[in-house]
Amino acid sequence: MISLCLYFKQKNNVVYIMSFDNNLRLIKRMASELPSGQSLIVLYEPDTEAGATDLEAFGITTYQFEEGLSFAFKLLPIIMSSRLVFCDNYYPFLGGLVHSSGLKIIQLWHANGAIKKFGWADPMTAKRSKSDQHRFQSVYNQFDEYVVASKTMGRVFENSYHVPFERMQMLGYPRSDRFFKADWQTHAQSRVYVVAPELKDKRVILYAPTYRDGLAFTPPADLLEAITVDPAAEVVVKLHPLLKNKEAELAAENLKSGSNRIHFYNQLSTSDLLSVTNTLITDYSSVAFDYSLLPNAHSMLFFMFDLAEYQKNPGIQSDLLNWLPSKPILTSAELAAAIKQNAKTDFTNFNQHWNTYNDGQATKRVIDRYIENR
């Protein structure tokens, strides 16, 4: 079925396959910069429908996709007949594509860096069947180039995907550009304060752990007590959308305790909340690589209460302790003490390691390489 797409005449269209809606500015810029006669088409997963609606309002053609017959007959020909395809994730269907010489596939990953392992670096991959492993590698091999923000992330892809380092393009992550823009910071803060005026002029502590795919998220019973140890601070809990049940449990526990300093703002994005955060508490989440770029970033605490288990599955980068800007915190007591101390985190080495090419100009470099110069 896929081979039928070879009969479609190669066009100058650009396709962006979207499973995260954190690169909308880049997509709009691409559409604006395309030469006359070319068009940008966005294929999006259902979870990013709100972002797709925004792009449609901008005049960009979008199609929701889920793999199946409709995808094979309607959307696959669009991909096969395009000159450029940008991806922000791993998409299994890529492994079956006939990759023509006129098509270039670019991996624009959804995060600046990686604490947890993936691909071949994930210990579970070695336990998969040979056919599964072959299928994974067939997808990894389809990417002609990988846009990265550091040599460190380039090495992560090299090791995780078993692809040549020469494919890495040190352009920076376009999605990070906004963190360098004063107007974005001002507007983000305004959006937050409209919804949450109680956060203004306060020390804001944001707890934003990563989603544990296939793993239980069971924080210590005294977590809420620990993160509210500073009586002058307002605390925001932002869990992954797939952890709504756990968030409801924490909210109920907070209500039972009578505390009014822990907040859950589902209508606010994590990025907007970062703009008013003084202390970020996270674990293995890529949000750490974003927060470290913001001028309001005072301290970052890594609460890794399940570190021993997480090291086994899915695993963490082996040199973690060499570049983590603060020591991993394993217990609620240690977390409370660190919050009380409120020591400033030095992000210098961390950013040099992971955000080397993030300077607010990544979007321009990506446009120059893939859009204007083509």
Side-chain angles (χ1 to χ4, degrees):
M1 186 179 299
I2 292 177
S3 62
L4 293 176
C5 298
L6 293 175
Y7 292 101
F8 283 80
K9 183 179 179 182
Q10 197 77 31
K11 300 178 182 179
N12 282 327
N13 292 336
V14 175
V15 173
Y16 193 107
I17 306 176
M18 183 174 75
S19 62
F20 292 84
D21 60 0
N22 54 15
N23 239 342
L24 301 185
R25 287 189 173 195
L26 170 66
I27 297 172
K28 292 176 182 177
R29 178 80 177 272
M30 284 181 175
S32 300
E33 299 286 349
L34 276 176
S36 177
Q38 300 184 26
S39 61
L40 174 66
I41 300 169
V42 173
L43 310 183
Y44 68 95
E45 292 189 335
D47 288 346
T48 60
E49 186 172 4
T53 301
D54 185 354
L55 296 176
E56 287 176 356
F58 192 76
I60 297 173
T61 300
T62 68
Y63 297 100
Q64 184 179 122
F65 81 92
E66 293 180 274
E67 293 190 42
L69 287 178
S70 176
F71 172 78
F73 283 108
K74 181 179 179 180
L75 301 182
L76 207 52
I78 294 176
I79 295 173
M80 291 297 297
S81 62
S82 298
R83 68 171 178 87
L84 276 176
V85 173
F86 291 94
C87 305
D88 66 1
N89 210 338
Y90 170 97
Y91 295 102
F93 72 84
L94 290 175
L97 287 181
V98 177
H99 196 148
S100 68
S101 59
L103 171 64
K104 178 174 281 191
I105 303 177
I106 314 299
Q107 177 59 258
L108 269 171
W109 199 243
H110 49 271
N112 286 347
I115 292 179
K116 52 190 172 184
K117 292 181 176 180
F118 58 91
W120 287 104
D122 184 338
M124 295 297 107
T125 301
K127 299 179 180 180
R128 299 293 292 267
S129 68
K130 291 296 181 183
S131 60
D132 282 348
Q133 293 175 359
H134 177 77
R135 179 164 46 85
F136 298 155
Q137 192 61 50
S138 66
V139 175
Y140 305 154
N141 291 340
Q142 292 283 31
F143 299 114
D144 297 289
E145 293 184 357
Y146 294 72
V147 174
V148 295
S150 63
K151 290 182 179 179
T152 303
M153 191 60 181
R155 295 298 180 193
V156 168
F157 275 124
E158 179 186 30
N159 296 328
S160 302
Y161 278 7
H162 288 179
V163 293
F165 186 78
E166 290 70 28
R167 295 188 188 182
M168 308 303 153
Q169 299 300 318
M170 314 296 168
L171 303 177
Y173 274 103
R175 60 181 295 281
S176 73
D177 285 354
R178 56 186 166 175
F179 301 126
F180 293 87
K181 311 296 184 184
D183 63 334
W184 176 85
Q185 295 166 19
T186 299
H187 292 146
Q189 290 167 358
S190 297
R191 289 191 290 269
V192 171
Y193 293 143
V194 166
V195 174
E198 60 274 14
L199 301 185
K200 195 168 186 179
D201 300 323
K202 295 288 184 67
R203 178 190 180 188
V204 176
I205 299 173
L206 173 62
Y207 178 51
T210 192
Y211 170 61
R212 290 152 170 79
D213 189 15
L215 302 174
F217 176 62
T218 311
D222 53 355
L223 169 66
L224 297 186
E225 181 181 349
I227 61 179
T228 56
V229 69
D230 180 358
E234 297 291 332
V235 179
V236 179
V237 175
K238 187 70 171 178
L239 301 186
H240 190 280
L242 294 178
L243 293 175
K244 283 191 177 296
N245 290 341
K246 179 58 65 173
E247 183 174 298
E249 290 177 19
L250 292 176
E253 184 180 340
N254 176 53
L255 184 64
K256 186 177 180 180
S257 70
S259 172
N260 61 354
R261 290 190 295 113
I262 298 181
H263 311 280
F264 303 83
Y265 303 115
N266 290 322
Q267 65 271 54
L268 293 173
S269 70
T270 301
S271 293
D272 282 354
L273 287 169
L274 289 179
S275 72
V276 302
T277 295
N278 306 107
T279 298
L280 172 66
I281 304 171
T282 187
D283 44 22
Y284 320 100
S285 173
S286 62
V287 71
F289 305 102
D290 296 339
Y291 181 65
S292 64
L293 294 172
L294 287 167
N296 54 284
H298 174 74
S299 60
M300 184 154 59
L301 307 177
F302 293 87
F303 185 41
M304 299 177 171
F305 61 87
D306 56 352
L307 179 60
E309 294 80 9
Y310 209 86
Q311 284 177 313
K312 299 174 184 176
N313 180 28
I316 58 175
Q317 301 300 324
S318 56
D319 60 347
L320 174 77
L321 297 181
N322 294 336
W323 47 259
L324 207 66
S326 58
K327 183 181 177 182
I329 296 172
L330 304 181
T331 69
S332 297
E334 292 173 344
L335 178 60
I339 292 173
K340 278 185 179 180
Q341 186 180 10
N342 197 22
K344 183 171 178 56
T345 301
D346 184 354
F347 296 107
T348 305
N349 292 335
F350 183 70
N351 282 332
Q352 288 176 350
H353 201 71
W354 288 103
N355 286 311
T356 317
Y357 297 93
N358 284 333
D359 57 2
Q361 300 301 316
T363 297
K364 182 181 185 305
R365 288 191 287 268
V366 169
I367 295 295
D368 287 347
R369 179 170 183 82
Y370 299 112
I371 304 300
E372 292 186 349
N373 290 347
R374 294 281 293 193

